[in-house]
Amino acid sequence: MKEKLMYVCSNCGYESPKWFGKCPICSEWNTAIEKKSVIEELKSNPVEFKEINEIKLNGFKRLRTNISEFDRLIGGGIVPGSVILVGGDPGVGKSTLMLEISRNLSKVGEVFYITGEESEEQILIRANRIGMKENENLKVTSSSDLKSIFQALKSEKPIAVIIDSIQSMRLSNIGLPGSVVQLRDCAEALVDYSKSTGVPVFIVGHITKTGQIAGPKLLEHLVDVVLYFEGEVQTGYRILRTVKNRFGPSNEIAIFEMRNNGLQEVKNPSEIFIERGSLSSGSCITSAIEGTRTIFLEIQSLISKTFFPSPRRLSKGIEIGRVILISAVLSRRLNLPLESFDIYVNVVGGLNVKDPSIDLGIAVAIYSSFADVELDSDCVYIGEIGLDGKMRKVSNIEKRLMEAHKMGFKRVVMPHDRNVKNFKDLELLQYNSLLEVLKNID
C-alpha cells in the first residue's frame, strides 16, 4: 500500500501528478488541489461463471408507488437496488414529485428524504401544500455531508432514499459541492450504497442551459434510470420522459398537471393536446408515438408575408430543421411560393415531438394556412414525407388506427399500405405522395 500525491482540478476533475497553474482541460487558473490517493495492489479473486438458468431472483419484486403513470413509465415499479436520476428546469416540480413519491412509499416502509438545498421547515410547508397528513415513516433531514448521511443510514432500514439534489452534496474536501469531482464521487458512493443494500435511491439533478443534466456524462452512465421533467413553468402540464431505463422501455412519457395541491396524473394525454370541434385554417390533427403510447396532437401553422430579405422559420415543439425541410419540399415539389413568407409552427400543449410520422401533419397545416382552408376536425393526418415529396410508411399504424377509432375520428389520411385495407368504421384515405393529399383538400 502506497500513498501518492495527485493534483486535481476542482472545476473539471482533471488529475495530474504535477502541480499546474492553468488546467489543460478547462483552461481555468488556480484550480489545482492536492489529493493524497492510496494505491493498493490488486488482489486476484477467483471468478465463477453460472448458467443463466441457475441464477435466482431471490424474491425479486418491484416496489410500486401507486402513482400509475410513474409506475408505468419506469416499467411497472421500482426495482430494488436501482438508482433513479431525475433532472429538470428550476421550478418545474422535481421536489414536489419526489415528495409525492415519498408519501406513497412511506405507507409501505420508512423513506428517508435528504435535502441539501432547503430547510426541514420548507419541506414541511410543501408537504402541507400537497395535503400530506402526519406520517411517521417519512424521515427528513437537511444535510449536504454524504459521509454523515451514510453513517446515519447504517442503523436504519429504509425502503427508499431520496437525495435532493446531487449538486448540493459533498463527500470530500476536494472542490465545492456541484463540481465535477464532487458529483462523480457522490454519484459513485450512492450507487455503491444502493447496490450493496438493495435500497432504491432517487437522485434529483440540476440541468444546464442546454437542457442536459449538470455534471459529467458519467453521472448518467452510472445510474439505472434517467428521467427528464419537462414543461413550461408558466403552464400547468409537466412531462416526465424516460431517457434511459435498464429495466423497461426508454423514451416513454408520463404527463402530469401541476395544481395547487400538487401533481395530478393525466390518464388520457390526447384530451389535453386536442380540442374536438371546428378547426381554424392552419390547424391539423396528427398522431405521434411516444414510447408505447399513441398521442393525438394539434399542429398549428401561421403563414405571413415577410418584411425581411430572408424569411423567418420558427417552431415550438418541433425541430426547426424539420420545418425548414418540409417547407422546402412544399416549395420545390408543389411550387408553393413560400420563400416570400414567414412560417411559424407550434404543437399545442407544449409537447416536444420527434416522431417522423407528424411530417404530413406539418405539411398540411402549412398548406392550410397558406391557402386559408379549414380542415376537417374528424380527420387525422399520419405519414412521413421524403425529399422527393412521396409519403413513407410509419411504424405501429394499426395501433394508431385503433386509438383513432377509440377517440371517435372518422377519417385517416395515411401512406398507401397493402397490409391495411379497412379498419372497423374508419375511412382510410391512402395516398402515395404529398401532392395527391393536398389536391384532395377542399
Side-chain angles (χ1 to χ4, degrees):
M1 186 180 295
K2 298 180 181 178
E3 262 194 6
K4 186 178 181 180
L5 184 63
M6 298 289 291
Y7 293 90
V8 181
C9 175
S10 60
N11 184 59
C12 70
Y14 168 73
E15 295 183 358
S16 172
K18 295 182 179 180
W19 182 88
F20 51 88
K22 179 182 178 182
C23 176
I25 302 299
C26 64
S27 300
E28 292 291 330
W29 286 89
N30 301 321
T31 56
I33 299 175
E34 287 188 6
K35 179 184 178 182
K36 290 183 179 179
S37 58
V38 178
I39 302 176
E40 297 182 1
E41 293 183 2
L42 292 176
K43 298 179 180 179
S44 59
N45 296 318
V47 177
E48 180 184 356
F49 288 94
K50 293 182 180 179
E51 292 183 12
I52 192 167
N53 298 329
E54 296 178 354
I55 301 173
K56 296 182 180 180
L57 293 177
N58 296 325
F60 170 82
K61 186 179 180 181
R62 287 179 181 262
L63 183 63
R64 295 188 177 274
T65 65
N66 291 326
I67 302 175
S68 59
E69 284 295 288
F70 182 83
D71 290 337
R72 178 189 58 80
L73 180 78
I74 59 175
I78 304 168
V79 173
S82 62
V83 181
I84 301 172
L85 177 63
V86 182
D89 287 320
V92 77
K94 302 184 296 296
S95 298
T96 301
L97 176 65
M98 291 298 100
L99 200 56
E100 296 208 4
I101 291 173
S102 302
R103 174 180 60 183
N104 290 4
L105 290 179
S106 62
K107 297 175 183 178
V108 182
E110 289 188 334
V111 178
F112 287 78
Y113 192 110
I114 298 106
T115 175
E117 300 177 343
E118 299 176 288
S119 65
E120 297 168 3
E121 291 77 14
Q122 289 173 317
I123 298 296
L124 178 61
I125 292 172
R126 183 182 295 111
N128 292 334
R129 179 174 64 83
I130 66 175
M132 184 182 294
K133 299 179 181 179
E134 293 184 5
N135 194 327
E136 295 181 355
N137 284 336
L138 179 56
K139 313 292 185 181
V140 179
T141 186
S142 178
S143 174
S144 59
D145 186 355
L146 208 52
K147 282 186 178 179
S148 301
I149 292 168
F150 286 141
Q151 193 67 31
L153 289 173
K154 279 185 179 180
S155 58
E156 305 290 347
K157 294 183 178 180
I159 63 166
V161 173
I162 295 174
I163 304 293
D164 188 4
S165 65
I166 185 68
Q167 278 80 9
S168 63
M169 296 291 130
R170 58 182 174 83
L171 191 62
S172 62
N173 295 324
I174 299 177
L176 297 172
S179 66
V180 173
V181 178
Q182 290 284 5
L183 286 174
R184 181 189 61 197
D185 292 346
C186 290
E188 288 177 348
L190 288 168
V191 170
D192 289 341
Y193 167 79
S194 178
K195 302 305 179 188
S196 61
T197 60
V199 177
V201 175
F202 288 85
I203 300 175
V204 176
H206 301 167
I207 67 171
T208 63
K209 60 183 179 182
T210 60
Q212 301 296 317
I213 293 179
K217 204 65 177 178
L218 175 68
L219 193 62
E220 296 185 36
H221 288 296
L222 285 173
V223 301
D224 301 303
V225 181
V226 179
L227 306 176
Y228 276 81
F229 213 16
E230 305 171 352
E232 298 290 340
V233 178
Q234 294 80 11
T235 63
Y237 295 109
R238 304 288 188 268
I239 299 166
L240 190 62
R241 186 184 300 273
T242 309
V243 176
K244 172 187 176 182
N245 191 356
R246 288 175 176 162
F247 316 113
S250 60
N251 204 30
E252 192 71 73
I253 67 168
I255 300 177
F256 300 87
E257 182 180 1
M258 178 65 80
R259 298 181 181 176
N260 292 332
N261 60 345
L263 292 164
Q264 301 295 323
E265 300 174 75
V266 176
K267 299 293 181 65
N268 187 0
S270 296
E271 292 181 351
I272 67 173
F273 293 125
I274 60 173
E275 292 184 5
R276 301 304 296 271
S278 60
L279 295 174
S280 59
S281 62
S283 295
C284 173
I285 305 297
T286 187
S287 166
I289 295 288
E290 291 290 336
T292 59
R293 171 173 281 178
T294 303
I295 299 177
F296 290 93
L297 309 163
E298 180 181 342
I299 295 182
Q300 297 177 335
S301 177
L302 179 65
I303 308 297
S304 63
K305 192 75 175 179
T306 186
F307 296 99
F308 303 98
S310 178
R312 303 181 70 186
R313 302 286 187 263
L314 296 178
S315 66
K316 188 174 182 181
I318 303 171
E319 293 180 356
I320 186 62
R322 180 178 296 181
V323 174
I324 294 173
L325 184 147
I326 293 174
S327 62
V329 172
L330 289 170
S331 297
R332 181 69 178 86
R333 303 298 178 185
L334 280 75
N335 296 320
L336 293 184
L338 297 178
E339 61 276 0
S340 57
F341 290 87
D342 293 331
I343 300 177
Y344 306 91
V345 179
N346 174 53
V347 177
V348 176
L351 182 67
N352 292 315
V353 188
K354 295 183 179 180
D355 189 349
S357 66
I358 68 170
D359 284 356
L360 181 59
I362 298 171
V364 170
I366 292 174
Y367 177 80
S368 170
S369 178
F370 178 80
D372 198 19
V373 175
E374 294 183 3
L375 300 174
D376 185 2
S377 61
D378 288 326
C379 185
V380 182
Y381 293 85
I382 305 172
E384 182 180 355
I385 298 174
L387 292 176
D388 56 359
K390 293 183 179 179
M391 294 171 60
R392 304 284 191 269
K393 295 180 182 179
V394 298
S395 61
N396 299 309
I397 186 62
E398 292 187 355
K399 186 176 182 179
R400 298 172 196 260
L401 297 177
M402 179 72 75
E403 194 67 24
H405 179 263
K406 288 181 182 179
M407 292 290 294
F409 291 102
K410 297 179 180 179
R411 284 171 293 281
V412 175
V413 177
M414 56 179 284
H416 185 73
D417 192 337
R418 295 179 181 177
N419 299 323
V420 182
K421 299 295 183 182
N422 299 301
F423 195 89
K424 298 185 178 181
D425 55 353
L426 273 177
E427 182 183 357
L428 303 183
L429 305 175
Q430 302 187 30
Y431 300 100
N432 291 316
S433 68
L434 177 59
L435 181 60
E436 293 178 14
V437 175
L438 300 185
K439 280 183 176 180
N440 287 276
I441 294 179
D442 297 331

